[in-house]
Amino acid sequence: MLIAISDVLTAEQVTQMRAKLDAAEWVDGKVTAGYQAQRVKDNQQLPEGHPVAKELGDIVLGGLARSPLFMSAALPLRVFPPMFNRYTGGGQFGTHVDTAIRQLATTGQRIRTDISATLFLTAPEEYDGGELIVEDTYGNQSVKLPAGHMVLYPATSLHKVEPVTRGGRVSSFFWIQSMIRSDGDRAMLFELDQTIQWLAVELPGSPLGVSLTGIYHNLLRRWAEM
Ligand code: NI
């Protein structure tokens, strides 16, 4: 399931974050890439554990916690600390699949990457190219969102970032281990939750809503891993 989530950050938050990111020292993005991804990765990022990445990552996590759509779509168990990257001057990231297991540098805790997230921090008008292309069963999906908006896509999918031929593309990227490992199961729970929310508006107090809510929680209880 590929889903766009609007307004994870406010315009003011994006402006403040961009000022700090533009002033930070960036390093070659190959440092966190696995062997296969290293050959196709041409961008810059803030080093893991960089104080600016930590400070701004906390703002991103705050935005996620305030987003009911994120909670419903991701059903997060653990969120990898948000990282930041930048593409300029033809920079790109060729077709790859994300590493399945990531280890936190701080605690050594391992996170299974079920969902990949890209949170855009530059407006589409600021750069040419830089589309995130995600291959899914319906074909290639091209994603380029307004600043402050985020896309979630299955970490199992092949994906790439097209060359940035003008300006710069700055984003936050991270992974989520979901309580629901299977993308298909998670998509079904998301649809069910959306239906329950729709019923609450269209038929408030309906016993159908109670019944579907029961089914939702019983499926979650059956499938959730903690
Ligand atoms: Ni990737």
Short mmCIF file of all heavy atoms in Angstrom, two decimals, residues 155-178:
data_model
loop_
_atom_site.label_atom_id
_atom_site.label_comp_id
_atom_site.label_asym_id
_atom_site.label_seq_id
_atom_site.Cartn_x
_atom_site.Cartn_y
_atom_site.Cartn_z
N ALA A 155 8.36 -1.42 2.34
CA ALA A 155 9.82 -1.48 2.26
C ALA A 155 10.27 -2.65 1.40
O ALA A 155 11.43 -2.72 1.00
CB ALA A 155 10.42 -1.59 3.67
N THR A 156 9.36 -3.53 1.09
CA THR A 156 9.68 -4.67 0.23
C THR A 156 9.78 -4.27 -1.24
O THR A 156 10.27 -5.05 -2.05
CB THR A 156 8.57 -5.73 0.34
OG1 THR A 156 7.30 -5.08 0.17
CG2 THR A 156 8.60 -6.43 1.68
N SER A 157 9.33 -3.06 -1.59
CA SER A 157 9.23 -2.70 -3.00
C SER A 157 10.55 -2.19 -3.55
O SER A 157 11.34 -1.57 -2.84
CB SER A 157 8.15 -1.64 -3.19
OG SER A 157 8.49 -0.50 -2.44
N LEU A 158 10.79 -2.43 -4.84
CA LEU A 158 11.91 -1.79 -5.53
C LEU A 158 11.54 -0.33 -5.73
O LEU A 158 10.40 -0.01 -6.07
CB LEU A 158 12.13 -2.45 -6.89
CG LEU A 158 12.76 -3.85 -6.87
CD1 LEU A 158 12.70 -4.47 -8.25
CD2 LEU A 158 14.19 -3.78 -6.36
N HIS A 159 12.51 0.56 -5.51
CA HIS A 159 12.23 1.98 -5.69
C HIS A 159 13.50 2.74 -6.05
O HIS A 159 14.61 2.20 -5.92
CB HIS A 159 11.57 2.57 -4.44
CG HIS A 159 12.37 2.37 -3.20
ND1 HIS A 159 12.31 1.21 -2.46
CD2 HIS A 159 13.27 3.16 -2.56
CE1 HIS A 159 13.13 1.30 -1.43
NE2 HIS A 159 13.74 2.48 -1.47
N LYS A 160 13.35 3.97 -6.52
CA LYS A 160 14.51 4.79 -6.89
C LYS A 160 14.13 6.26 -6.77
O LYS A 160 12.94 6.60 -6.68
CB LYS A 160 14.95 4.49 -8.33
CG LYS A 160 13.91 4.86 -9.39
CD LYS A 160 14.44 4.57 -10.78
CE LYS A 160 13.35 4.77 -11.82
NZ LYS A 160 13.79 4.47 -13.18
N VAL A 161 15.14 7.13 -6.75
CA VAL A 161 14.92 8.58 -6.80
C VAL A 161 15.56 9.07 -8.09
O VAL A 161 16.74 8.83 -8.35
CB VAL A 161 15.53 9.29 -5.58
CG1 VAL A 161 15.39 10.80 -5.71
CG2 VAL A 161 14.87 8.81 -4.29
N GLU A 162 14.75 9.73 -8.92
CA GLU A 162 15.23 10.23 -10.21
C GLU A 162 16.27 11.34 -10.01
O GLU A 162 16.24 12.04 -8.99
CB GLU A 162 14.04 10.79 -11.02
CG GLU A 162 13.00 9.75 -11.40
CD GLU A 162 13.41 8.90 -12.59
OE1 GLU A 162 14.61 8.58 -12.73
OE2 GLU A 162 12.51 8.55 -13.37
N PRO A 163 17.18 11.54 -10.98
CA PRO A 163 18.20 12.58 -10.84
C PRO A 163 17.57 13.97 -10.63
O PRO A 163 16.56 14.30 -11.27
CB PRO A 163 18.93 12.55 -12.19
CG PRO A 163 18.67 11.19 -12.74
CD PRO A 163 17.33 10.77 -12.22
N VAL A 164 18.15 14.74 -9.71
CA VAL A 164 17.72 16.12 -9.49
C VAL A 164 18.56 17.01 -10.39
O VAL A 164 19.76 17.15 -10.19
CB VAL A 164 17.87 16.50 -8.00
CG1 VAL A 164 17.62 18.00 -7.81
CG2 VAL A 164 16.90 15.70 -7.15
N THR A 165 17.92 17.59 -11.41
CA THR A 165 18.67 18.32 -12.44
C THR A 165 18.68 19.82 -12.22
O THR A 165 19.39 20.55 -12.90
CB THR A 165 18.06 18.02 -13.83
OG1 THR A 165 16.65 18.31 -13.77
CG2 THR A 165 18.26 16.55 -14.19
N ARG A 166 17.87 20.32 -11.28
CA ARG A 166 17.89 21.75 -10.92
C ARG A 166 17.52 21.87 -9.45
O ARG A 166 16.64 21.15 -8.98
CB ARG A 166 16.88 22.55 -11.76
CG ARG A 166 16.82 24.04 -11.39
CD ARG A 166 15.68 24.77 -12.10
NE ARG A 166 14.35 24.27 -11.74
CZ ARG A 166 13.64 24.72 -10.69
NH1 ARG A 166 14.11 25.66 -9.90
NH2 ARG A 166 12.44 24.21 -10.44
N GLY A 167 18.20 22.77 -8.74
CA GLY A 167 17.85 23.01 -7.34
C GLY A 167 18.27 21.85 -6.45
O GLY A 167 19.16 21.06 -6.80
N GLY A 168 17.62 21.73 -5.31
CA GLY A 168 17.96 20.67 -4.37
C GLY A 168 16.70 20.07 -3.77
O GLY A 168 15.67 20.75 -3.64
N ARG A 169 16.79 18.78 -3.46
CA ARG A 169 15.65 18.07 -2.85
C ARG A 169 16.11 17.59 -1.48
O ARG A 169 17.00 16.76 -1.35
CB ARG A 169 15.26 16.88 -3.73
CG ARG A 169 14.20 15.94 -3.15
CD ARG A 169 14.31 14.64 -3.93
NE ARG A 169 13.22 13.70 -3.81
CZ ARG A 169 13.20 12.69 -2.95
NH1 ARG A 169 14.17 12.54 -2.06
NH2 ARG A 169 12.21 11.82 -2.97
N VAL A 170 15.49 18.14 -0.44
CA VAL A 170 15.84 17.77 0.93
C VAL A 170 14.66 17.01 1.52
O VAL A 170 13.51 17.45 1.37
CB VAL A 170 16.14 19.03 1.78
CG1 VAL A 170 16.45 18.65 3.22
CG2 VAL A 170 17.31 19.81 1.18
N SER A 171 14.92 15.89 2.16
CA SER A 171 13.84 15.15 2.80
C SER A 171 14.32 14.44 4.05
O SER A 171 15.52 14.30 4.28
CB SER A 171 13.21 14.09 1.89
OG SER A 171 13.78 14.05 0.65
N SER A 172 13.35 14.01 4.81
CA SER A 172 13.61 13.10 5.91
C SER A 172 13.17 11.72 5.45
O SER A 172 12.17 11.59 4.74
CB SER A 172 12.82 13.52 7.15
OG SER A 172 13.03 12.58 8.19
N PHE A 173 13.95 10.70 5.81
CA PHE A 173 13.57 9.34 5.43
C PHE A 173 13.79 8.44 6.63
O PHE A 173 14.68 8.68 7.45
CB PHE A 173 14.36 8.86 4.21
CG PHE A 173 15.84 8.72 4.45
CD1 PHE A 173 16.40 7.46 4.64
CD2 PHE A 173 16.66 9.83 4.49
CE1 PHE A 173 17.77 7.31 4.88
CE2 PHE A 173 18.04 9.70 4.74
CZ PHE A 173 18.59 8.45 4.93
N PHE A 174 12.94 7.44 6.75
CA PHE A 174 13.06 6.51 7.89
C PHE A 174 12.19 5.28 7.62
O PHE A 174 11.54 5.19 6.58
CB PHE A 174 12.65 7.19 9.20
CG PHE A 174 11.33 7.90 9.16
CD1 PHE A 174 10.17 7.28 9.59
CD2 PHE A 174 11.25 9.20 8.68
CE1 PHE A 174 8.95 7.94 9.55
CE2 PHE A 174 10.02 9.86 8.62
CZ PHE A 174 8.88 9.23 9.06
N TRP A 175 12.24 4.36 8.56
CA TRP A 175 11.52 3.10 8.40
C TRP A 175 10.68 2.83 9.63
O TRP A 175 10.99 3.30 10.73
CB TRP A 175 12.50 1.94 8.20
CG TRP A 175 13.33 2.11 6.97
CD1 TRP A 175 13.00 1.72 5.70
CD2 TRP A 175 14.61 2.74 6.88
NE1 TRP A 175 14.00 2.07 4.83
CE2 TRP A 175 15.00 2.70 5.53
CE3 TRP A 175 15.47 3.35 7.80
CZ2 TRP A 175 16.20 3.23 5.08
CZ3 TRP A 175 16.66 3.88 7.35
CH2 TRP A 175 17.02 3.81 6.01
N ILE A 176 9.67 2.03 9.43
CA ILE A 176 8.77 1.68 10.52
C ILE A 176 8.65 0.17 10.60
O ILE A 176 8.45 -0.49 9.57
CB ILE A 176 7.37 2.29 10.28
CG1 ILE A 176 7.46 3.82 10.26
CG2 ILE A 176 6.37 1.82 11.35
CD1 ILE A 176 6.96 4.44 9.01
N GLN A 177 8.81 -0.37 11.79
CA GLN A 177 8.41 -1.76 12.04
C GLN A 177 6.98 -1.70 12.50
O GLN A 177 6.65 -1.07 13.51
CB GLN A 177 9.30 -2.44 13.08
CG GLN A 177 8.85 -3.88 13.32
CD GLN A 177 9.81 -4.67 14.19
OE1 GLN A 177 10.96 -4.30 14.38
NE2 GLN A 177 9.32 -5.78 14.72
N SER A 178 6.10 -2.33 11.75
CA SER A 178 4.68 -2.28 12.07
C SER A 178 4.30 -3.45 12.97
O SER A 178 4.95 -4.50 12.96
CB SER A 178 3.87 -2.34 10.77
OG SER A 178 2.49 -2.38 11.06
#
